[in-house]
Amino acid sequence: MNLFSIYIVSILSLAASCRSNPVQQDKEKNTSPSSQQVHTKPPSNFRDTMQIDFPAAVFYHPDSLQLEKIKGLTDSAIFDATMHECFFQMRNARMSIKRDWPQLKIVEAENVRFLLFRSEANDSTLIDLNTKNDSHGLFLFQPGKKPHFTDMMNIDSELSFYFKK
Protein backbone atom coordinates (compact mmCIF):
# COMPACT_ATOMS: atom_id res chain seq x y z
CA MET A 1 0.00 0.00 0.00
CA ASN A 2 1.51 3.33 -0.98
CA LEU A 3 1.57 6.49 1.09
CA PHE A 4 -1.34 8.11 -0.77
CA SER A 5 -3.57 5.08 -0.06
CA ILE A 6 -2.52 5.08 3.60
CA TYR A 7 -3.37 8.79 3.74
CA ILE A 8 -6.85 8.18 2.29
CA VAL A 9 -7.52 5.33 4.73
CA SER A 10 -6.39 7.54 7.61
CA ILE A 11 -8.70 10.37 6.55
CA LEU A 12 -11.60 7.96 6.17
CA SER A 13 -10.94 6.51 9.62
CA LEU A 14 -10.69 9.94 11.19
CA ALA A 15 -13.86 11.13 9.48
CA ALA A 16 -15.73 8.03 10.59
CA SER A 17 -14.57 8.35 14.20
CA CYS A 18 -15.49 12.05 14.35
CA ARG A 19 -19.03 11.41 13.14
CA SER A 20 -19.72 8.10 14.83
CA ASN A 21 -22.53 7.57 17.29
CA PRO A 22 -23.83 4.41 19.00
CA VAL A 23 -26.69 3.92 16.51
CA GLN A 24 -24.32 4.30 13.55
CA GLN A 25 -21.82 1.89 15.16
CA ASP A 26 -24.55 -0.74 15.54
CA LYS A 27 -25.46 -0.36 11.85
CA GLU A 28 -21.80 -0.70 10.88
CA LYS A 29 -21.47 -3.89 12.95
CA ASN A 30 -24.37 -5.40 11.02
CA THR A 31 -22.84 -4.52 7.65
CA SER A 32 -20.86 -7.40 6.21
CA PRO A 33 -17.52 -6.64 4.52
CA SER A 34 -18.80 -8.16 1.28
CA SER A 35 -21.60 -5.59 1.11
CA GLN A 36 -19.20 -2.64 1.36
CA GLN A 37 -18.23 -1.29 -2.05
CA VAL A 38 -14.56 -0.91 -2.91
CA HIS A 39 -13.79 1.95 -5.28
CA THR A 40 -10.95 2.06 -7.74
CA LYS A 41 -9.84 5.00 -9.84
CA PRO A 42 -12.07 5.42 -12.90
CA PRO A 43 -10.25 4.75 -16.18
CA SER A 44 -8.76 7.54 -18.25
CA ASN A 45 -10.73 8.93 -21.17
CA PHE A 46 -7.55 9.07 -23.27
CA ARG A 47 -5.49 6.35 -24.95
CA ASP A 48 -2.41 8.42 -25.78
CA THR A 49 1.14 7.49 -24.77
CA MET A 50 3.80 9.91 -23.55
CA GLN A 51 7.37 8.85 -24.29
CA ILE A 52 10.18 9.85 -21.91
CA ASP A 53 13.79 9.08 -22.87
CA PHE A 54 15.69 11.64 -20.76
CA PRO A 55 16.22 12.22 -17.02
CA ALA A 56 12.87 13.48 -15.74
CA ALA A 57 10.41 13.89 -12.93
CA VAL A 58 7.05 12.93 -14.44
CA PHE A 59 3.95 14.18 -12.62
CA TYR A 60 0.68 12.58 -13.67
CA HIS A 61 -2.86 13.84 -13.15
CA PRO A 62 -6.38 12.65 -13.94
CA ASP A 63 -8.12 14.16 -16.95
CA SER A 64 -11.11 16.44 -16.30
CA LEU A 65 -13.77 13.75 -16.85
CA GLN A 66 -11.84 11.26 -14.77
CA LEU A 67 -11.56 13.84 -11.98
CA GLU A 68 -15.34 14.41 -12.09
CA LYS A 69 -15.92 10.66 -11.77
CA ILE A 70 -13.55 10.48 -8.80
CA LYS A 71 -15.40 13.41 -7.21
CA GLY A 72 -18.71 11.61 -7.72
CA LEU A 73 -17.40 8.47 -5.98
CA THR A 74 -15.91 10.32 -3.02
CA ASP A 75 -17.44 12.15 -0.08
CA SER A 76 -17.00 15.87 -0.78
CA ALA A 77 -15.01 16.59 2.39
CA ILE A 78 -12.63 13.71 1.68
CA PHE A 79 -12.31 14.70 -1.97
CA ASP A 80 -11.49 18.31 -1.04
CA ALA A 81 -8.94 17.21 1.57
CA THR A 82 -7.33 14.78 -0.85
CA MET A 83 -7.06 17.35 -3.65
CA HIS A 84 -5.63 19.87 -1.18
CA GLU A 85 -3.03 17.34 -0.02
CA CYS A 86 -2.13 16.37 -3.62
CA PHE A 87 -1.69 20.01 -4.56
CA PHE A 88 0.70 20.71 -1.68
CA GLN A 89 2.68 17.49 -2.09
CA MET A 90 3.17 18.16 -5.79
CA ARG A 91 4.06 21.80 -5.21
CA ASN A 92 6.61 20.81 -2.57
CA ALA A 93 8.08 18.15 -4.88
CA ARG A 94 8.41 20.65 -7.74
CA MET A 95 10.12 23.19 -5.46
CA SER A 96 12.56 20.53 -4.17
CA ILE A 97 13.41 19.41 -7.69
CA LYS A 98 13.96 22.97 -8.93
CA ARG A 99 16.07 23.82 -5.88
CA ASP A 100 18.19 20.67 -5.56
CA TRP A 101 18.08 19.09 -9.04
CA PRO A 102 17.71 22.01 -11.48
CA GLN A 103 19.09 19.91 -14.37
CA LEU A 104 16.16 17.46 -14.01
CA LYS A 105 13.35 18.16 -16.44
CA ILE A 106 9.84 18.33 -14.93
CA VAL A 107 7.20 16.78 -17.19
CA GLU A 108 3.44 17.09 -16.73
CA ALA A 109 1.64 13.98 -18.02
CA GLU A 110 -1.88 15.21 -18.68
CA ASN A 111 -4.48 13.68 -20.97
CA VAL A 112 -2.44 10.50 -21.45
CA ARG A 113 -3.06 6.97 -20.28
CA PHE A 114 0.37 5.41 -20.85
CA LEU A 115 3.91 6.45 -19.92
CA LEU A 116 6.64 4.86 -22.03
CA PHE A 117 10.07 5.16 -20.41
CA ARG A 118 12.86 4.40 -22.92
CA SER A 119 16.45 3.77 -21.89
CA GLU A 120 19.63 4.21 -23.90
CA ALA A 121 19.93 0.43 -24.37
CA ASN A 122 16.52 0.51 -26.09
CA ASP A 123 14.96 -1.11 -23.03
CA SER A 124 11.56 0.30 -22.25
CA THR A 125 8.97 0.23 -19.51
CA LEU A 126 5.33 0.94 -20.29
CA ILE A 127 3.15 2.09 -17.40
CA ASP A 128 -0.62 2.09 -17.71
CA LEU A 129 -1.82 4.88 -15.42
CA ASN A 130 -5.22 3.13 -15.16
CA THR A 131 -3.46 0.50 -13.05
CA LYS A 132 -2.28 3.14 -10.56
CA ASN A 133 -5.05 3.73 -8.04
CA ASP A 134 -3.61 7.12 -7.08
CA SER A 135 -5.24 10.00 -8.92
CA HIS A 136 -1.98 11.98 -8.88
CA GLY A 137 1.60 10.79 -8.68
CA LEU A 138 5.25 11.19 -9.58
CA PHE A 139 7.71 8.95 -11.40
CA LEU A 140 11.44 9.60 -11.42
CA PHE A 141 13.32 8.39 -14.47
CA GLN A 142 16.96 8.08 -15.44
CA PRO A 143 17.78 6.27 -18.70
CA GLY A 144 19.49 3.02 -17.82
CA LYS A 145 17.28 2.54 -14.73
CA LYS A 146 13.72 1.45 -14.22
CA PRO A 147 11.28 4.33 -13.55
CA HIS A 148 10.59 4.81 -9.86
CA PHE A 149 7.13 5.61 -8.45
CA THR A 150 7.97 8.20 -5.84
CA ASP A 151 6.72 8.95 -2.35
CA MET A 152 6.24 12.71 -2.62
CA MET A 153 6.21 13.09 1.16
CA ASN A 154 9.89 12.05 1.13
CA ILE A 155 10.90 13.73 -2.12
CA ASP A 156 14.33 14.87 -0.93
CA SER A 157 15.36 11.35 0.09
CA GLU A 158 13.75 9.79 -2.98
CA LEU A 159 15.62 12.10 -5.38
CA SER A 160 18.94 11.48 -3.72
CA PHE A 161 18.45 7.73 -3.44
CA TYR A 162 17.30 7.24 -7.03
CA PHE A 163 19.69 9.55 -8.89
CA LYS A 164 22.84 8.98 -6.82
CA LYS A 165 22.51 5.20 -6.58
Side-chain angles (χ1 to χ4, degrees), residues 56-57 104 138-142 146-148 150 158-159 162-163:
L104 188 61
L138 170 62
F139 284 96
L140 298 177
F141 180 65
Q142 174 72 42
K146 292 288 183 192
H148 175 67
T150 304
E158 294 270 351
L159 285 163
Y162 182 76
F163 287 107

Side-chain angles (χ1 to χ4, degrees), residues 16-85:
S17 66
C18 291
R19 292 190 241 161
S20 66
N21 60 46
V23 174
Q24 181 68 24
Q25 288 175 350
D26 288 342
K27 287 181 185 176
E28 289 174 0
K29 287 179 187 175
N30 294 331
T31 304
S32 67
S34 61
S35 68
Q36 295 175 351
Q37 189 175 9
V38 176
H39 294 290
T40 58
K41 181 176 80 172
S44 175
N45 295 295
F46 292 88
R47 301 284 178 249
D48 295 338
T49 301
M50 175 181 280
Q51 182 173 309
I52 302 99
D53 57 3
F54 48 85
V58 182
F59 289 90
Y60 70 87
H61 318 268
D63 60 62
S64 59
L65 292 174
Q66 192 177 22
L67 190 60
E68 284 302 315
K69 290 176 187 174
I70 293 168
K71 187 175 183 177
L73 292 171
T74 311
D75 177 83
S76 63
I78 294 170
F79 178 82
D80 291 344
T82 302
M83 291 302 107
H84 180 78
E85 183 67 22

